[in-house]
């Protein structure tokens, strides 16, 4: 039988000079006859039809246009399927290169401990190099999971920064972390780009807790007493170590957390002595 109309054309650009498109062959595939697929494109309001030459670059039904594409100009893109019994033409897709920009995943992803803090990990990465010469911003997402789980937790509010601190983690646990990127505001474009693939997983472990096994958590009024005591310890520590600084930033709080954990460990160790 003749070929069916190709469907689901999607395209993306990795450096604003190229374009890769893929499609699906229709519900019946190649209908038992060898079928040729040709990707064609042209500028919307003028210019002649052009034919893509580099096929199978992103799968069986795909083609890559490496250069000679214009910015700020809508393109019409379609796919023609042909065999010896006929020809079928897809619907035309219209797009602007600036609206389909994506990147490689962020590189140099590093995950490390935050001092001796048992419930936190620091994540750092580098911006995608392919777009470094272009005026753009990027937003990032992080996802992480524990070693023995397949469920990922996603951090959406990373913004344009290239570092993030994960908190509320389990002590003494291995975590896998991935990062991905979405470029936006390229040359003032109001549309976001396309999310990159996730980076390869990077693993790190939180420090192991040294608390005494079998200890009971304080309850009721004991919790309030403990909180007041630890706040008093914190402000006493600030008065002793901060040298009059008025900005109680997160680094100062982290230093106190480390000091407090060491104090707990020291007290627990004394409790184990005969």
């Amino acid at each position: 039988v003749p070929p069916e109309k190709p469907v689901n054309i999607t395209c993306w650009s990795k450096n604003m000079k190229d374009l890769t498109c893929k499609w699906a062959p229709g519900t019946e595939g190649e209908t038992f006859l060898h079928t040729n697929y040709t990707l064609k494109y042209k500028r919307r309001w003028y210019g002649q039809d052009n034919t893509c030459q580099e096929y199978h670059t992103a799968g069986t039904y795909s083609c890559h246009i490496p250069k000679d594409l214009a910015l700020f100009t809508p393109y019409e893109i379609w796919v023609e399927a042909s065999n010896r019994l006929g020809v079928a033409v897809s619907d035309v897709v219209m797009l602007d290169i600036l609206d389909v920009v994506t990147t490689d995943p962020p590189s140099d992803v590093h995950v490390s401990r935050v001092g001796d803090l048992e419930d936190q990990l620091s994540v750092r990465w580098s911006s995608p190099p392919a777009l470094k010469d272009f005026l753009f911003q990027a937003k990032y997402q992080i996802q992480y999971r524990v070693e023995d789980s397949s469920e990922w937790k996603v951090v959406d509010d990373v913004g344009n920064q290239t570092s993030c601190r994960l908190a509320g983690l389990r002590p003494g646990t291995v975590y896998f972390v991935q990062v991905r990127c979405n470029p936006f505001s390229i040359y003032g474009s109001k549309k976001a780009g396309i999310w990159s693939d996730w980076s390869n997983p990077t693993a790190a472990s939180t420090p192991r807790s040294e608390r005494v096994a079998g200890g009971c958590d304080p309850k009721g009024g004991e919790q309030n007493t403990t909180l007041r005591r630890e706040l008093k310890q914190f402000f006493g520590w600030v008065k002793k170590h901060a040298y009059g600084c008025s900005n109680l930033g997160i680094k100062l709080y982290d230093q106190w957390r480390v000091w407090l954990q060491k104090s707990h460990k020291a007290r627990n160790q004394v409790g184990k002595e005969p």
Side-chain angles (χ1 to χ4, degrees):
V1 296
E4 290 199 355
K5 180 174 74 172
V7 294
N8 299 335
I9 300 174
T10 57
C11 304
W12 63 92
S13 173
K14 287 212 171 175
N15 57 20
M16 290 187 288
K17 302 174 184 176
D18 73 334
L19 192 69
T20 301
C21 297
K22 63 180 181 180
W23 60 90
T27 55
E28 296 297 329
E30 296 190 3
T31 63
F32 305 103
L33 286 176
H34 175 70
T35 304
N36 291 314
Y37 292 92
T38 304
L39 179 80
K40 294 188 176 182
Y41 61 100
K42 70 174 183 177
R43 298 188 188 189
R44 182 178 179 185
W45 293 298
Y46 54 90
Q48 60 183 8
D49 293 0
N50 298 280
T51 301
C52 183
Q53 302 294 327
E54 298 182 10
Y55 289 89
H56 314 301
T57 55
T60 304
Y61 304 106
S62 66
C63 195
H64 178 236
I65 305 168
K67 59 182 180 178
D68 298 330
L69 294 170
L71 299 179
F72 310 106
T73 301
Y75 276 89
E76 295 181 358
I77 297 172
W78 67 96
V79 177
E80 296 180 358
S82 62
N83 63 24
R84 65 175 183 263
L85 295 180
V87 177
V89 181
S90 72
D91 295 335
V92 175
V93 172
M94 286 185 290
L95 59 84
D96 190 310
I97 303 299
L98 293 180
D99 296 335
V100 294
V101 176
T102 188
T103 72
D104 291 323
S107 58
D108 301 324
V109 178
H110 296 281
V111 184
S112 57
R113 296 179 177 182
V114 183
D116 291 333
L117 295 180
E118 300 166 350
D119 64 341
Q120 298 187 20
L121 289 172
S122 175
V123 187
R124 294 179 292 106
W125 60 90
S126 298
S127 297
L131 296 178
K132 65 181 180 180
D133 296 329
F134 298 96
L135 181 63
F136 81 106
Q137 298 179 39
K139 54 184 178 181
Y140 298 95
Q141 277 185 341
I142 295 175
Q143 68 175 11
Y144 64 96
R145 65 175 175 86
V146 297
E147 183 179 23
D148 57 354
S149 172
S150 59
E151 182 179 351
W152 294 91
K153 293 184 178 180
V154 178
V155 181
D156 282 315
D157 56 349
V158 180
N160 195 31
Q161 58 191 356
T162 55
S163 65
C164 182
R165 183 178 296 189
L166 304 178
L169 308 178
R170 299 183 201 166
T173 303
V174 175
Y175 283 87
F176 291 100
V177 181
Q178 294 178 293
V179 186
R180 68 176 181 173
C181 175
N182 188 331
F184 70 97
S185 192
I186 300 174
Y187 292 138
S189 171
K190 295 181 179 180
K191 292 187 178 180
I194 299 172
W195 284 106
S196 72
D197 293 331
W198 290 101
S199 63
N200 292 325
T202 302
S205 64
T206 51
R208 186 172 299 278
S209 174
E210 297 292 339
R211 294 171 184 168
V212 178
C216 295
D217 290 332
K219 298 180 180 178
E222 295 180 17
Q223 279 188 321
N224 294 333
T225 302
T226 301
L227 178 60
R228 285 195 296 269
R229 182 171 64 248
E230 292 191 349
L231 284 173
K232 186 176 180 181
Q233 284 179 305
F234 174 54
F235 287 115
W237 183 89
V238 168
K239 185 175 181 181
K240 183 177 180 181
H241 296 281
Y243 306 107
C245 293
S246 59
N247 182 17
L248 304 183
I250 190 166
K251 289 185 177 180
L252 187 62
Y253 179 75
D254 288 344
Q255 292 174 20
W256 172 72
R257 287 274 312 271
V258 172
W259 172 84
L260 187 63
Q261 287 177 5
K262 289 181 178 178
S263 298
H264 282 310
K265 292 175 184 178
R267 285 199 301 272
N268 291 336
Q269 189 64 36
V270 169
K272 294 177 185 178
E273 294 297 328

